[in-house]
Amino acid sequence: MPSSAKVGSFPPSFRNRNIKVDGATIHVRVGGKGPAVVMLHGFGDTGDMWAPVGAVLVEDHTVVVPDLRGMGLSSHPQGGYDKKTQAHDIARVMDTLKIANAALVTHDIGNMVGYALAAQFPARVTRWVIIDAPLPGIGPWDEIIRSPALWHFNFRGPDVERLVKGRERIYLDRFWNELSANPRAIKEATRRHYARLYARRGAMHSAFNQFAAFTQDAADNKLLAEKGKLTMPVFAFGGDHSFGMQMAEIMRLVASDVSAGVITDSGHWVMEEQPQQTTAAIVKSIQSK
């Protein structure tokens, strides 16, 4: 399925590239000119989630929207799902596009890759908009992962792929329905679009490995945090029916300049539930002095 499908369509000025990194090929949408913005998605989405934001920022920014390793139209390698490795994927993408530094916008698992990127390569991230998901090993992580709503963090083993194969839509509906403020806000066309992408060969195997890497990610993040707090401006947003203001509390443990915000009438899926409000919040954060 091309990324120009009706759901998640970027302006026609965007071009698609497949960039080779260590052990994977990353599918990237690139458009515009000016200061760069890199946007990272999470589970249940692909880079297509950022199309409404990209359509605004492309007017005066270079907008770079990858699919993470093993997700969307990127390749599905057997390994490399720890977030430090995926941060290197993004750094390599930036190198290939000759982007020295960029503003960062992230959601869900994209937050975890974003922290690994900002902590390992702080000079390459000018500011960071982080949305609605915790960081492994940081702050209340051990308490958060005990929530029954997050059972999927440990849903793995030899049989999980057979259980989900052919039932990807059923599996994904659970997340969209239970982690949203209003399930009806996530339209049928959107659900079909992502269910088809997650039904691609190797996609669910890769998705389970994203979660399986959390133990390693937690250990890595604790070591990264010991090196000191991030100094770039960080704008932390949570859905008011999800992480809310807790996002800023978590980020203040690893960053020294944190602004807080809430996306109202939204659960976890802010771009699907409140696209206009979320786009406005992101654009304001990116453009603020």
Side-chain angles (χ1 to χ4, degrees), residues 1-5 8 10 14-21 24-30 38-41 46-48 64-77 89-90 93 97 197 200:
M1 174 184 295
S3 60
S4 59
F10 286 78
F14 276 76
R15 63 192 186 278
N16 295 320
R17 295 191 58 176
N18 292 306
I19 296 176
K20 290 190 178 299
V21 300
T25 300
I26 304 300
H27 180 77
V28 187
R29 309 149 190 82
V30 185
V38 174
M39 312 188 78
L40 304 180
H41 67 93
T46 70
D48 289 339
V64 179
V65 187
D67 286 342
L68 295 177
R69 170 186 293 243
M71 304 178 88
L73 298 182
S74 291
S75 67
H76 299 83
D89 291 346
I90 304 307
V93 166
L97 298 175
L197 285 167
R200 290 167 63 91

Side-chain angles (χ1 to χ4, degrees), residues 43-45 71 109 149-157 159-179 191 194-195 198-199 203-212 214 269:
F43 174 71
D45 289 300
M71 304 178 88
I109 287 175
L150 300 181
W151 59 266
H152 56 282
F153 283 9
N154 290 304
F155 183 55
R156 52 182 177 268
D159 299 314
V160 293
E161 290 173 50
R162 290 196 301 127
L163 288 169
V164 174
K165 184 176 177 59
R167 305 177 182 89
E168 292 85 4
R169 170 63 188 271
I170 296 172
Y171 187 67
L172 290 167
D173 272 340
R174 177 263 161 182
F175 298 96
W176 294 324
N177 292 341
E178 294 185 17
L179 302 182
R191 294 169 185 256
Y194 289 121
Y198 278 87
M204 287 307 306
H205 176 83
S206 301
F208 289 131
N209 280 333
Q210 295 278 2
F211 296 116
F214 282 178
W269 308 101

Side-chain angles (χ1 to χ4, degrees), residues 7-8 44-45 176 185-195 272:
V7 175
D45 289 300
W176 294 324
I186 305 172
K187 304 302 184 186
E188 176 63 22
T190 299
R191 294 169 185 256
R192 289 179 180 174
H193 176 76
Y194 289 121
E272 289 78 20

Side-chain angles (χ1 to χ4, degrees), residues 18 53 92 135 143 173 205 219 223 236 249 251:
N18 292 306
V53 188
R92 181 66 64 86
L135 300 178
E143 176 184 347
D173 272 340
H205 176 83
L223 292 175
E249 296 172 7
M251 291 310 298

